[in-house]
Amino acid sequence: MARTLYERITTKQTLNRVKEERMPFDWSINPYRGCGHGCSFCYARAFQSFIGMGAEDEFQHHIFMKSNAAEALEKQLSSAARKFDYDIEAMGRSIGQVTIGTATDPYQPIEGKEGITRECLKLLAKYRISTSITTRSPLVLRDLDILTRMENVSVNISLNTLNGDMIRKLEPASPHPEGRLDTIHRLSAAGIRTGLFVAPVLPFLTDKESELKDLLSQTKVRGVSFAMISLLRLSRDVKKWYIETLKHQFPEVVQPYRELYGQGAYAEEHYVRSFKSMAARLLNEYELNGLTTGASAAVASESGTIASGTSQEIGTQEGARDHLRSRDLAAPAQPRKLPQPAAPVSGKELMPDIEQLSFPF
């Protein structure tokens, strides 16, 4: 097994402006480069070329940690506050939506030790910035003490199958499906708007309608507010690594993949049309198509495809059976212990400096 190298780096700015016009959020934060979850299909593998690295094993086993991310973020936000004469509400409206985890998971394993994401989240709460988080990890529950004090926040849990064996073969170090279901349940119970990102759906592996219905059913009963279903996109660098993984884990689908993605990063048009139709129908059936700004943004960044539609009543006996089965499984048999922060957040940490200076006469 390859040994993971963790390298500390510094950044000039933590908030990065999103220049792509179709993205409905304005800023992104990624406390790490590379990801310990090691998902073989991750679109962010392609970003490694920007820093002279490959999209293959280095992505999982050479993690860059932006050790000064919180300090750089404080500098950016305090500067913005000064421009608005410390009118925090006006500043927040001007900044708009900030999304954490657009490139790599902000709650990957090393975050449990480093806490870089947690420190950044404190600052977003302090300056009352509208925030969306995308993760695969139950570690996000550690930060419930901050999330529950934020005025405009949503958390999107990525899960594309309930098949634990499939997860382990293609996402070698990511959390088990049951842990992610439990995370949705606990976030929702705490009053956090929680979404499901069925992303990416993998052709020939996780694209069966019955399996997607079960996934939507299981998450809805746990309190998920909305869902997104997005099809796999394979850029050139990612495709090479993913196909090699399939050769070892699911060799029977290698040739079908080569035919389906033979023309480039996207599946052939007929398959895409059929998939999008099914996805929209399932979101309607389970009434989970109320996408938030952060949700639709992350979808677009991953696949360029958003599945949505209008609400309608569940009208099939099969759908009713799915919901009944889900209710029976809603609560985990053995409640897991919540991850705990090294120290609970204090009220002072989440209060803008200008408010700390005020006092009654």
Side-chain angles (χ1 to χ4, degrees):
M1 180 178 292
R3 183 178 179 180
T4 300
L5 172 65
Y6 296 99
E7 182 176 343
R8 296 184 186 280
I9 60 174
T10 57
T11 182
K12 292 183 179 179
Q13 58 182 37
T14 299
L15 271 179
N16 294 293
R17 184 175 288 280
V18 177
K19 298 179 180 179
E20 177 61 59
E21 292 184 0
R22 65 187 176 132
M23 297 297 181
F25 61 94
D26 304 286
W27 301 88
S28 68
I29 291 178
N30 290 289
Y32 302 93
R33 274 190 176 275
C35 184
H37 289 157
C39 301
S40 57
F41 45 73
C42 183
Y43 66 92
R45 287 179 178 273
F47 301 163
Q48 295 290 87
S49 62
F50 299 160
I51 55 174
M53 299 179 66
E56 301 179 353
D57 213 27
E58 279 182 311
F59 178 76
Q60 181 181 0
H61 295 295
H62 190 165
I63 309 299
F64 294 90
M65 308 178 298
K66 299 178 183 178
S67 56
N68 72 324
E71 290 82 358
L73 180 59
E74 175 76 84
K75 185 179 294 186
Q76 286 179 278
L77 293 177
S78 62
S79 176
R82 284 194 299 272
K83 291 179 181 178
F84 284 86
D85 293 326
Y86 296 96
D87 184 336
I88 301 301
E89 305 302 329
M91 184 198 79
R93 290 193 297 270
S94 175
I95 289 176
Q97 177 89 18
V98 172
T99 297
I100 307 177
T102 59
T104 56
D105 199 315
Y107 287 99
Q108 59 181 286
I110 192 62
E111 168 62 18
K113 176 183 178 182
E114 294 295 317
I116 301 174
T117 298
R118 179 175 173 82
E119 293 306 309
C120 290
L121 196 61
K122 287 179 184 178
L123 292 168
L124 294 172
K126 174 180 176 179
Y127 287 93
R128 297 168 191 157
I129 304 298
S130 175
T131 303
S132 174
I133 302 168
T134 300
T135 182
R136 281 174 154 74
S137 177
L139 182 57
V140 68
L141 295 170
R142 177 202 61 188
D143 295 338
L144 273 175
D145 59 333
I146 304 173
L147 294 170
T148 52
R149 300 190 200 184
M150 297 180 74
E151 296 176 7
N152 190 1
V153 65
S154 63
V155 178
N156 313 306
I157 301 299
S158 292
L159 179 61
N160 61 3
T161 179
L162 295 176
N163 186 328
D165 183 59
M166 181 86 66
I167 291 282
R168 194 52 56 235
K169 289 178 178 178
L170 297 176
E171 306 176 20
S174 70
H176 190 275
E178 188 58 42
R180 295 187 230 180
L181 292 176
D182 184 48
T183 300
I184 290 172
H185 178 74
R186 293 184 186 239
L187 286 169
S188 300
I192 306 300
R193 182 165 169 78
T194 308
L196 169 70
F197 280 7
V198 188
V201 173
L202 309 174
F204 315 119
L205 296 173
T206 68
D207 61 345
K208 291 182 180 178
E209 182 171 347
S210 59
E211 294 183 13
L212 291 173
K213 290 183 72 169
D214 196 27
L215 176 56
L216 293 177
S217 176
Q218 294 278 354
T219 53
K220 181 166 184 177
V221 77
R222 286 168 170 80
V224 75
S225 300
F226 59 92
M228 173 279 294
I229 304 176
S230 177
L231 189 62
L232 176 69
R233 175 172 64 88
L234 288 174
S235 63
R236 182 178 62 182
D237 291 340
V238 178
K239 183 186 292 187
K240 180 180 178 182
W241 179 255
Y242 182 60
I243 293 297
E244 285 301 314
T245 302
L246 292 180
K247 287 180 181 178
H248 289 91
Q249 303 293 354
F250 302 98
E252 69 278 6
V253 303
V254 170
Q255 187 55 35
Y257 261 95
R258 285 176 171 159
E259 294 173 1
L260 187 63
Y261 285 86
Q263 301 304 311
Y266 298 94
E268 64 91 13
E269 188 175 350
H270 178 75
Y271 178 95
V272 171
R273 283 200 305 268
S274 176
F275 170 81
K276 290 177 70 174
S277 175
M278 175 184 69
R281 176 164 40 80
L282 291 180
L283 291 176
N284 287 341
E285 182 175 324
Y286 288 91
E287 299 181 324
L288 288 173
N289 49 22
L291 293 177
T292 66
T293 298
S296 56
V299 178
S301 68
E302 175 154 339
S303 70
T305 304
I306 299 176
S308 62
T310 57
S311 297
Q312 68 178 37
E313 215 174 307
I314 298 174
T316 64
Q317 292 183 351
E318 182 179 0
R321 287 196 299 271
D322 284 344
H323 281 283
L324 179 60
R325 183 169 65 251
S326 297
R327 283 197 296 272
D328 294 337
L329 298 173
Q334 295 182 340
R336 294 171 173 78
K337 185 177 180 180
L338 283 172
Q340 295 297 317
V345 69
S346 68
K348 184 177 180 180
E349 288 179 280
L350 304 187
M351 183 182 295
D353 295 342
I354 191 67
E355 294 180 9
Q356 294 181 35
L357 295 174
S358 64
F359 57 90
F361 288 95

